[in-house]
Amino acid sequence: MTMRKKHIGWMVVAFFVAIIAVVFQQIYTSMTEQGIASGGPYDNAAAYPAAVAILIGILVLLQAGLGLLRALPPSDEENEAISLARLKRPAGLLLIFGIYLALLGPLGYHLTTAPMIFAVMVLCGMRIALVTIAVSVVIAFVLAFAFEVFLKVVLPGGIFALNIPW
Amino acid sequence: MLVDSILAGYALFMTPAAIGLTLLGVLFGLVVGALPGLGPLMGIILLLPVAIGLPPVAAMGFLIAIFVGGSCGGSISAILLRIPGTPLAAATLFDGYPMAQKGRASDAIGIAISASALGGLFGGGVLILLAPALAQFASNFAPPEYAALAVTGLIAIAVISEGSLLKGLIAGCFGLLLATIGTDEFSTGYRFTFDTHHMLNGFHIVAVVVGLFAISEMAHQTMGNDLLKKPKIDIARPGFGSVLLTLKHWKNLLRSSTIGAFFGALPGAGGVISSFTSYAVAKAAAGPDEKYGEGEEGGVVATESANNATVGGTLVPSLALGIPGDASSAMLIGALLILGYFPGPTLFEQQPEIVGGIFLVYLTSNVFLLIAGILATPLFVYVLRVPKSYLIPIVLLLCTIGTFALQASVFDLLVMFGFGLVGILLRAASYPLSPIVIGIILGPLLENNLRRSLLISQDGYWIFVERPVSLILIIVNLLLIAGSIWFAVRKKSKAADKVPVSD
């Protein structure tokens, strides 16, 4: 299966349309309730974001229009196909990293970091071997040491309050 | 005034922390510059959370040194692997790699480092002479001039960024919009905070930038087939004799450094354009016996001196006006703001010691680049052998700890991840990311001065055309946009003319 670059272009257009929708939804609800959606330059906090959102809207419309014009016939760049199989690894990376970030707060740095590094290394093609496990643990501890000892950063301890008194 | 500023900065600079971190920054910059896919911007982003906990001059020394080292580091991989570590070094491989092929890798790297350091020092001279003068000139600016200047900075970046003008402008406006999140300075109302206290001050710029650039870059890197590859490279050991080899091309060095500093001072132009232009000029001015593209020392001198002189030039509008020349200098402005200093004429008037300290760290980082760069080259060659499968998790971890360390907030990590996804989407659709950062930095400058202008104006928006400087800037903005459209249309029609007619 493949995805064409022009499809990604349309996803970006949809993203910006959603952003513009959120801007106006906030202006007509939250900002109006606060009384900051009208008045002069001092009181009206909504005029500037509204103007920027309208500008984005116009630019996105132009971009979409150009996209449609180019669609007949499609340019080589727009028609460039990206195999979905190629996206497996980045998707896997984001999944691992997302799970790591979600668990970092509840479980803490020391329980989650080495497994994340190990998983990313395996995803990158390294063998599941003792060396990979050892490297993961060493990287996690060296960085924790550097940040906690030299930079006085308190890393998340999680529900078990796991923090190393270096 | 200039001497007083430097003397006041000297006291802040002459501390073990400032000097040590400047040296460390140069070394780290060389490493991130040498590693393909990273570069000075990524280096600054990764260590910005560390820097903002430091004293101001030490922090700026650390980050500026990364910028300086990173702008040179890319040449090492360009010369040895034919892969420029950063786009800045793309032109260096034209002659650097052929030199390595002829068994002169050590000379090529030595010349690259020497030319970078000397070009950087030239850029430092330009910075020290021009920035105070520009700040003095800008001290007469009122809100309309600042608002127009912010628009110029944004348009210049959007026009020159990779991809189309439209995409650059959309990205820049997206940055402007992100800058509005949080508590409004005028009305003290809450904008786009969704009733959560986490967003009262908006998204932390570091979390946004780390996500946009670093997370998206790491995801992009995993698509390659070289994750386990350990390049076989011979150790290169340049010597200080390289400085003499570089100085043999002194005319080229001076000319390229001037081009670099000039392009650096123009918002948006940056090191890539300056290094390619310098190379083209050096090639055009070369004698018949100089064979550019076949391992000519002058080619390396031209590109490397230009891209490091650009750093000094870039700092001129950044410090004097608060207008960043590129994404890296935008991050430096961001760091200054987080540290509690506002770049612009006020910084020169009220905190001259910080300005003087920044001048000194910039000059010193170029001296360190020359010494440490030449001595530590074997180390950077060794780093190039580290496979990406090790680097990717390390970078992800640095992103995580660095972002968490900002405010000990898991929310910042979620912001980072969210912007990582946005960065991936925008990169995949060929949207430039730098204008977003510039938009975030320039957003408050633009909005506050726009609203102040309207408050003091008797005739609404006419205030922008009634004042000569803002009128000139508006005309420049219109010319930039018109010129960019004209070039795009011309490029398209030329490309259409070249399409071969099929049988």
Side-chain angles (χ1 to χ4, degrees):
Chain A
M1 277 181 77
T2 58
M3 180 191 265
R4 303 216 178 271
K5 211 164 183 181
K6 63 181 176 185
H7 297 141
I8 302 171
W10 285 111
M11 283 163 72
V12 174
V13 169
F15 168 75
F16 282 115
V17 169
I19 295 275
I20 295 164
V22 170
V23 169
F24 283 100
Q25 182 269 339
Q26 284 290 299
I27 288 172
Y28 289 115
T29 55
S30 168
M31 290 193 216
T32 305
E33 283 163 21
Q34 293 178 68
I36 57 167
S38 56
Y42 194 87
D43 302 308
N44 191 343
Y48 173 79
V52 176
I54 290 169
L55 186 57
I56 293 178
I58 294 168
L59 294 170
V60 167
L61 210 64
L62 281 171
Q63 181 65 33
L66 285 175
L68 284 174
L69 281 176
R70 281 181 197 145
L72 297 170
S75 70
D76 290 346
E77 195 200 341
E78 295 286 311
N79 218 20
E80 188 187 328
I82 301 165
S83 157
L84 288 184
R86 274 190 75 202
L87 300 178
K88 270 185 191 168
R89 225 186 268 147
L93 182 86
L94 291 173
L95 186 67
I96 293 167
F97 195 52
I99 293 171
Y100 168 66
L101 294 180
L103 295 178
L104 189 64
L107 294 182
Y109 176 88
H110 293 293
L111 285 182
T112 52
T113 302
M116 182 277 283
I117 297 172
F118 176 77
V120 173
M121 283 182 175
V122 171
L123 179 86
C124 290
M126 290 189 69
R127 284 185 191 164
I128 302 174
L130 205 61
V131 178
T132 316
I133 297 170
V135 169
S136 311
V137 173
V138 168
I139 291 173
F141 274 88
V142 166
L143 282 179
F145 181 80
F147 273 83
E148 292 202 310
V149 174
F150 296 118
L151 301 168
K152 311 291 176 210
V153 173
V154 180
L155 296 171
I159 49 170
F160 304 111
L162 280 176
N163 285 99
I164 299 172
W166 298 101
Chain B
M1 183 191 163
L2 176 64
V3 176
D4 292 343
S5 164
I6 291 177
L7 285 177
Y10 181 78
L12 294 179
F13 171 65
M14 286 305 284
T15 61
I19 295 172
L21 285 166
T22 304
L23 176 61
L24 198 65
V26 168
L27 293 173
F28 184 76
L30 282 163
V31 170
V32 290
L35 291 169
L38 296 182
L41 175 63
M42 191 75 84
I44 294 171
I45 291 169
L46 288 177
L47 291 190
L48 183 60
V50 174
I52 57 178
L54 299 167
V57 172
M60 292 312 292
F62 192 33
L63 297 176
I64 289 172
I66 294 173
F67 196 0
V68 169
S71 299
C72 169
S75 62
I76 298 173
S77 46
I79 290 165
L80 295 175
L81 296 173
R82 206 167 177 261
I83 304 167
T86 66
L88 296 170
T92 305
L93 65 79
F94 295 154
D95 284 284
Y97 185 69
M99 276 183 80
Q101 293 297 96
K102 290 175 183 171
R104 297 189 63 206
S106 295
D107 280 346
I109 293 177
I111 290 172
I113 293 171
S114 308
S116 295
L118 295 171
L121 287 170
F122 181 91
V126 171
L127 168 69
I128 291 171
L129 290 176
L130 281 190
L134 186 60
Q136 178 71 30
F137 173 68
S139 61
N140 298 320
F141 283 7
E145 283 80 28
Y146 275 113
L149 201 59
V151 176
T152 308
L154 197 68
I155 290 179
I157 303 284
V159 164
I160 299 173
S161 301
E162 277 178 62
S164 73
L165 168 69
L166 266 180
K167 287 178 177 175
L169 287 175
I170 293 170
C173 290
F174 180 48
L176 292 179
L177 204 53
L178 288 174
T180 63
I181 298 171
T183 310
D184 174 42
E185 277 187 35
F186 288 76
S187 64
T188 67
Y190 302 132
R191 297 190 292 194
F192 315 111
T193 55
F194 299 94
D195 295 329
T196 164
H197 70 278
H198 292 297
M199 291 178 69
L200 291 182
N201 292 320
F203 294 133
H204 200 295
I205 184 170
V206 178
V208 174
V209 175
V210 167
L212 279 177
F213 286 89
I215 304 299
S216 68
E217 178 61 38
M218 290 307 106
H220 180 73
Q221 292 281 340
T222 57
M223 289 171 75
N225 295 320
D226 56 349
L227 297 174
L228 298 173
K229 199 173 157 190
K230 276 188 185 176
K232 286 181 183 160
I233 317 163
D234 293 328
I235 291 289
R237 292 184 194 281
F240 287 100
S242 315
V243 181
L244 294 177
L245 285 178
T246 308
L247 288 173
K248 266 176 31 189
H249 304 273
W250 66 273
K251 278 185 191 167
N252 181 356
L253 182 74
L254 269 179
R255 184 181 54 228
S256 304
S257 302
T258 308
I259 292 171
F262 171 74
F263 276 110
L266 296 179
V272 180
I273 294 175
S274 75
S275 58
F276 275 96
T277 307
S278 306
Y279 185 81
V281 173
K283 196 175 171 181
D289 54 330
E290 290 177 291
K291 292 190 167 58
Y292 274 70
E294 295 177 22
E296 185 58 49
E297 290 174 359
V300 180
V301 171
T303 57
E304 285 303 311
S305 56
N307 69 34
N308 265 59
T310 305
V311 178
T314 306
L315 291 175
V316 174
S318 305
L319 284 178
L321 305 172
I323 303 293
D326 61 6
S328 298
S329 53
M331 291 316 298
L332 295 180
I333 291 181
L336 262 179
L337 292 171
I338 296 169
L339 289 164
Y341 299 95
F342 294 87
T346 324
L347 184 72
F348 284 75
E349 282 165 17
Q350 293 177 5
Q351 283 115 359
E353 70 282 4
I354 300 295
V355 176
I358 290 174
F359 289 164
L360 288 174
V361 291
Y362 176 72
L363 293 175
T364 311
S365 57
N366 280 290
V367 175
F368 283 166
L369 172 66
L370 181 64
I371 300 166
I374 286 181
L375 292 178
T377 295
L379 168 77
F380 308 130
V381 174
Y382 181 77
V383 169
L384 282 176
R385 292 174 177 166
V386 176
K388 285 181 183 172
S389 52
Y390 286 110
L391 289 173
I392 291 171
I394 292 175
V395 171
L396 287 179
L397 196 51
L398 278 175
C399 295
T400 307
I401 305 178
T403 305
F404 179 79
L406 296 169
Q407 312 179 97
S409 161
V410 175
F411 178 76
D412 284 341
L413 294 177
L414 300 178
V415 171
M416 173 191 76
F417 188 68
F419 276 94
L421 298 178
V422 173
I424 291 168
L425 181 67
L426 294 180
R427 277 176 71 124
S430 305
Y431 278 74
L433 299 178
S434 299
I436 302 178
V437 187
I438 311 287
I440 296 173
I441 294 287
L442 292 179
L445 185 78
L446 173 59
E447 182 184 4
N448 294 348
N449 285 296
L450 180 69
R451 287 167 76 178
R452 280 192 198 114
S453 304
L454 294 175
L455 281 169
I456 59 173
S457 170
Q458 306 284 327
D459 310 308
Y461 287 97
W462 286 108
I463 193 169
F464 292 102
V465 285
E466 284 164 359
R467 298 177 67 93
V469 175
S470 78
L471 177 64
I472 290 169
L473 288 169
I474 287 169
I475 293 169
V476 168
N477 293 339
L478 293 173
L479 287 175
L480 272 173
I481 292 178
S484 176
I485 293 170
W486 184 74
F487 273 113
V489 171
R490 202 163 157 237
K491 201 173 152 191
K492 266 259 148 50
S493 60
K494 270 191 177 177
D497 291 345
K498 278 184 187 171
V499 172
V501 181
S502 65
D503 299 330

